[in-house]
């Protein structure tokens, strides 16, 4: 991805809400390329979170 902007991904919450965020992220990555989905680290500079998201 072009540019010098810092791209952050925050995955916060625990339990079902944290799990749903991870499932949505997985589906987004599969939308990019179904056969070989990219890893989130290919698109984000920093990834962090709390509880399940961490």
């Amino acid at each position: 991805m072009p540019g010098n902007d810092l791209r952050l991904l925050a995955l916060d919450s625990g339990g079902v809400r944290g799990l749903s965020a991870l499932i949505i992220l997985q589906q987004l990555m599969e939308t990019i390329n179904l056969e070989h989905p990219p890893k989130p680290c290919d698109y984000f500079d920093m990834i962090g979170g709390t509880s399940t998201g961490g």
Side-chain angles (χ1 to χ4, degrees):
M1 294 179 67
N4 294 328
D5 296 334
L6 185 62
R7 295 173 304 257
L8 305 174
L9 174 62
L11 300 167
D12 296 325
S13 274
V16 174
R17 291 189 322 180
L19 181 60
S20 65
L22 294 173
I23 291 171
I24 291 169
L25 179 61
Q26 179 182 21
Q27 291 176 346
L28 288 172
M29 295 293 108
E30 289 173 353
T31 300
I32 294 170
N33 186 338
L34 185 59
E35 292 186 22
H36 302 288
K39 296 179 182 177
C41 63
D42 296 334
Y43 286 88
F44 296 96
D45 298 311
M46 297 179 76
I47 301 172
T50 60
S51 196
T52 302

